[in-house]
Every structure is written in structure tokens, then in C-alpha cells.
Amino acid sequence: MLLKQLVAEGVSPWLAPGDAGELDTAVGQRTLKHALEGALVPPGTEPGLIRAACDALLPAYGTDAGAGQVSVPVDPRLADDAGALVDAARMLHATVRRPNVMVRIPMTAAGRTALVALLTEGIGVHGSLVTGAVRYGQVLDAYVQGMERALAAGVRLSDVPVVVSFPVGLFDAEADARLTELGAPPDHAARGTAGLAVARTLFRLREQRLTGGWWRVLRANGALPPRLLWTTGGAAGVGRLVGWNTAHALAPRTVEEAARLGGLAGDTLLNQHTSAARALADLAGLGIDAEEAAAALATRELERLRRGWDLMTGCAAVPGPESERPSGSAGERT
């Protein structure tokens, strides 16, 4: 009931389990079938469990809202090799054999090249490691290019979902750490404002891009708008980020917590770009450049993912998963 109330308020919760055991529990208890609209598969998950998660969410898949996807990551050590990313994504997609599986790849320069190739082949993509507006704009460019090619290739565009995630909590932590280095007091008004400001900027950027002529052609041919997924924000941050075609990645224990917190006041993203620009300008005045922080965060996160890959996946049968966990999980990241 609480979950349904959350959804009724405009929130789309995605399950982000900390490990395969939590995903297995969610599948076994049928949690995925009760108002959850997507799932992020953790590292080391076996193909059978991935298929079970896909099957649980399949009834929601194919709706106009683009719900029901299951995101499975590709090895982040391949992040600078577009060809290797494409090959690994193809293998993962063929292994799982479910229409609602998506491959999750870091949106490096190579990742964006891979995005175009995969969309052309009709493979849905979850783009991770998007930490700022510049990279998000580049991803949207790649998205349009890939969907144009998919249309020309005769692919049914409604079968090619795209999700792009932004780590709200991690960006807040990055900006707040920089404020501390600059001598700002713990109660400074700018603390905790950066993630929301960038999220609102990304939302605005997407809205602007979806007014273009090529998007209208793609939409007329069945393309679903790319969804924004907020990660690492925790239950308390859900009410700050509610808007059209967005979702929140939440750990199992925080999904219900977010529902109980309540206090939702409808859309918090539409037409909020002016306040977002002011917040980013205030941060810039204090010495915090949002794009510099975004680049540093992306570099550090990718290196962390690469270092931890073998430890996280062990002998996983499915190529790929990188970690994407919400606030409150051990090792939370994008």
C-alpha cells in the first residue's frame, strides 16, 4: 500500500539491491511485482536470477512510461574500448534473452560510441557515470544518433529503452567536500544543494532536446523518451526529485522508508532551471565549479569500479556488472 501511494505521488521506484542475495529475496517475495518499476542488477548475479527479475517486471514492460527494465552492467574495465563494450553488451543481452534487459555501460567517450552502436542494433542501454550537464548533453546527442540509425535499420524503436543515471548523493558529497576544503562551516547554506541543482539542470536539458525536429520524428515512430534515474540520493531525497519520466534507485530497506516519509508535493523539477542556475552560480562564487567537480567524480568513480571488479564479481557467469547502489548501501556508488 505504501509503495502504491508513493507511485501515485509521481515517484517511480527502482530496486537497487546491494547484492545478488537481496535481489533473490525481492524476486522470491514478489517485491518486484508490487509497484516497483525497474531493477538494477548487482555484480556477480547469475543469469537465472537475472531472468527471474526480468520475468517479474515483464508485465510493466512496454508501457508508454517505459517501466519494467532490468539493468545489468558491463565490465567497467572496458570503459575506454568501444568495440569491447559492444561485444560484451551483445554477449550479455544474448545470455539473458529477455526483452526488458538493458546493458549498463559507463558514458565515457567510448561508452557513448558503444551507445550509438547498441541502439542501432536494438539493444536498450542504461548509461551510467553521468556526473554533469556537459556529459549528459553528449549522451543525448549519441542517443539521437543511435535512434536515427535504428529507425533506418528497421528496428522497432519502442523496444529500445534508454535510461541515464545521475548520482545525486555522490555529487552532493563531492561538492560538500570541496566546500570543507575551502573552509566553509558545517552549516553553510550551500551544503547539500549541488546535487539537486545539477539534477534540475539535466532535467531542463532533456526537455529542451526533446523539442527538436528529429526527436519528433523518432517519437512518431514509437521511441520512448530517455528516462533520468536518480541514484545515491537515499529515502530522504526522494521528495526533492519528482518529475516526468524520472525514477529513483533505492535499496530494499529504503523503498518502504521513502514511502513512509511522505511529504511529497508534486513535481519539483519542471521549470526549476532558474533556481538551479542560481544555486550553481552561488557555488561557483564560493570556488566550486560544477563541471570540474563532475569530471573529478567521474574519473574517481571509474577507477574505483575498475579496481573492485574482480572482487565484486568473482566468477560471475554474466559478463559485466558494475556497481550501482543507492544511499545507505555499503559501497554505494553510481
Side-chain angles (χ1 to χ4, degrees):
M1 181 64 70
L2 286 173
L3 271 177
K4 291 181 179 180
Q5 181 179 348
L6 197 66
V7 173
E9 294 288 346
V11 176
S12 297
W14 281 41
L15 187 70
D19 54 39
E22 286 189 347
L23 179 62
D24 191 26
T25 298
V27 171
Q29 295 179 348
R30 301 171 65 84
T31 305
L32 291 180
K33 292 189 176 182
H34 295 285
L36 289 170
E37 297 193 2
L40 306 181
V41 170
T45 304
E46 294 297 324
L49 180 53
I50 297 173
R51 294 186 195 107
C54 288
D55 292 342
L57 284 165
L58 196 57
Y61 178 69
T63 67
D64 191 57
Q69 287 94 17
V70 176
S71 169
V72 186
V74 171
D75 189 340
R77 295 172 300 182
L78 307 176
D80 293 323
D81 187 333
L85 283 172
V86 171
D87 288 343
R90 286 172 180 153
M91 185 182 300
L92 187 155
H93 197 262
T95 299
V96 177
R97 304 190 309 277
R98 292 295 187 275
N100 54 334
V101 69
M102 310 179 78
V103 295
R104 185 156 81 243
I105 56 178
M107 288 291 97
T108 57
R112 297 191 295 274
T113 299
L115 170 64
V116 174
L118 293 168
L119 296 183
T120 302
E121 296 180 18
I123 296 175
V125 176
H126 171 183
S128 68
L129 221 64
V130 173
T131 54
V134 170
R135 181 169 289 192
Y136 186 52
Q138 294 167 339
V139 171
L140 290 175
D141 289 341
Y143 162 77
V144 171
Q145 183 180 2
M147 295 298 273
E148 288 174 2
R149 294 184 181 182
L151 178 61
V155 172
R156 192 165 74 170
L157 300 189
S158 60
D159 292 340
V160 195
V162 173
V163 170
V164 180
S165 54
F166 170 65
V168 183
L170 289 183
F171 196 90
D172 269 338
E174 175 72 22
D176 287 355
R178 290 169 178 246
L179 284 171
T180 298
E181 291 174 359
L182 292 169
D187 60 349
H188 196 285
R191 291 189 182 274
T193 64
L196 176 61
V198 173
R200 285 174 166 171
T201 301
L202 301 189
F203 187 87
R204 174 65 172 181
L205 181 57
R206 186 188 65 177
E207 298 306 288
Q208 290 176 320
R209 294 296 181 89
L210 295 185
T211 62
W214 255 114
W215 166 248
R216 288 193 289 271
V217 172
L218 296 174
R219 185 63 176 135
N221 284 275
L224 297 174
R227 173 169 282 199
L228 279 163
L229 177 66
W230 315 122
T231 68
T232 74
V238 169
R240 299 193 310 160
L241 290 164
V242 179
W244 172 76
N245 205 37
T246 66
H248 289 266
L250 299 168
R253 65 179 177 275
T254 58
V255 171
E256 291 289 343
E257 181 185 349
R260 289 192 182 93
L261 283 174
L264 298 175
D267 194 311
T268 66
L269 298 171
L270 187 63
N271 296 326
Q272 294 298 315
H273 53 284
T274 301
S275 63
R278 283 198 301 266
L280 293 176
D282 289 344
L283 287 166
L286 294 168
I288 309 295
D289 182 278
E291 282 303 323
E292 181 186 352
L297 178 59
T299 298
R300 188 168 61 253
E301 282 301 290
L302 181 55
E303 286 305 309
R304 184 195 64 80
L305 292 172
R306 284 169 164 164
R307 289 193 305 269
W309 181 254
D310 289 333
L311 177 63
M312 290 189 296
T313 61
C315 298
V318 175
E322 87 182 71
S323 174
E324 180 140 8
R325 300 181 184 180
S327 180
S329 295
E332 63 182 45
R333 290 298 184 270
T334 55

